[in-house]
Amino acid sequence: DVKVTQSSRYLVKRTGEKVFLECVQDMDHENMFWYRQDPGLGLRLIYFSYDVKMKEKGDIPEGYSVSREKKERFSLILESASTNQTSMYLCASSGSVSNQPQHFGDGTRLSIL
Amino acid sequence: ILNVEQSPQSLHVQEGDSTNFTCSFPSSNFYALHWYRWETAKSPEALFVMTLNGDEKKKGRISATLNTKEGYSYLYIKGSQPEDSATYLCAFLNQAGTALIFGKGTTLSVSS
């Protein structure tokens, strides 16, 4: 079974801090994704990556950056955390063929105080 | 702007009831339609990936149909059980895209 592991289930940080959310997958997937989920808004794509060192902006990239130095790891970075970034963050991965399903991690519930 | 709409937003049924929900998506440049189930405190789990007009897929008591020409998919649950309680997400991929566009989901609650 595909395993997508997010480093933390719950995280509390302060406004202005630099925050790192880590995601690791064990299936040699090319594609990796970061989403945030907010009540009433559904899953929104922040960034995705289709290869090492490659990244593409999603629908809401402002205030975030990403890093993919190794194929199995995709990091989401909040450069200077703000309270409106309090949310549930989900990482996902998928193979290179576009009609393959995405496999999700358990999510990180991030609170910015 | 590509939009994926799901209805209803939520519904509550009794154990044993059959139910269905709708996902509407742009009918042009269709590539694939995904369905996911997301239970509370768990990660979203893929149910189906559908690519062909007229596709019908089944997994236990859950099935889905696809109409790419008119831009909709139905998800059916036969004989709902409390363990079916979850949010059901559909997501659309067009031929130009590499990333899924998700609907806001339908939240199902099944009472015993």
Side-chain angles (χ1 to χ4, degrees):
Chain A
D1 271 356
V2 176
K3 186 73 175 171
V4 178
T5 303
Q6 293 183 231
S7 51
S8 307
R9 287 299 297 269
Y10 301 94
L11 205 54
V12 180
K13 295 291 183 180
R14 295 210 173 271
T15 303
E17 280 192 69
K18 191 169 185 176
V19 181
F20 293 86
L21 301 184
E22 306 287 347
C23 177
V24 176
Q25 50 94 3
D26 66 358
M27 280 301 291
D28 202 36
H29 280 166
E30 285 78 10
N31 300 328
M32 295 189 74
F33 307 85
W34 275 107
Y35 298 91
R36 62 179 281 178
Q37 197 261 346
D38 300 289
L41 296 178
L43 276 176
R44 294 182 293 166
L45 182 65
I46 305 171
Y47 267 98
F48 66 100
S49 168
Y50 52 88
D51 203 351
V52 175
K53 296 191 186 295
M54 306 302 288
K55 61 183 179 183
E56 294 281 346
K57 292 181 180 178
D59 299 319
I60 50 165
E62 296 78 19
Y64 302 95
S65 63
V66 290
S67 172
R68 190 147 180 221
E69 296 297 317
K70 293 185 178 182
K71 191 175 186 179
E72 66 269 20
R73 185 179 296 270
F74 191 35
S75 303
L76 180 69
I77 303 154
L78 285 65
E79 298 291 344
S80 177
S82 63
T83 54
N84 63 10
Q85 291 177 311
T86 291
S87 187
M88 166 71 88
Y89 290 88
L90 281 163
C91 175
S93 73
S94 71
S96 58
V97 179
S98 296
N99 61 0
Q100 291 185 2
Q102 291 188 7
H103 299 268
F104 287 84
D106 287 337
T108 296
R109 187 163 293 282
L110 175 65
S111 296
I112 307 296
L113 305 179
Chain B
I1 296 176
L2 298 174
N3 216 22
V4 177
E5 301 285 344
Q6 290 190 246
S7 63
Q9 184 177 338
S10 64
L11 76 163
H12 183 100
V13 301
Q14 295 295 314
E15 183 176 358
D17 288 349
S18 294
T19 187
N20 65 85
F21 353 114
T22 304
C23 173
S24 301
F25 51 86
S27 56
S28 58
N29 300 315
F30 175 86
Y31 191 88
L33 193 283
H34 293 216
W35 280 101
Y36 293 84
R37 173 170 61 200
W38 192 1
E39 296 177 67
T40 303
K42 295 186 178 180
S43 55
E45 170 199 2
L47 289 172
F48 307 113
V49 177
M50 308 175 81
T51 56
L52 297 175
N53 185 44
D55 248 357
E56 184 168 341
K57 297 213 171 183
K58 191 174 181 181
K59 186 176 184 178
R61 293 178 292 97
I62 305 176
S63 61
T65 60
L66 178 67
N67 183 323
T68 61
K69 296 190 186 306
E70 296 182 41
Y72 64 84
S73 175
Y74 293 137
L75 189 79
Y76 300 92
I77 302 178
K78 185 178 178 182
S80 302
Q81 300 296 309
E83 58 264 30
D84 296 327
S85 298
T87 295
Y88 292 82
L89 298 169
C90 71
F92 166 78
L93 182 68
N94 70 4
Q95 291 175 3
T98 52
L100 292 172
I101 300 166
F102 280 85
K104 294 179 182 177
T106 294
T107 299
L108 173 67
S109 175
V110 183
S111 299
S112 57

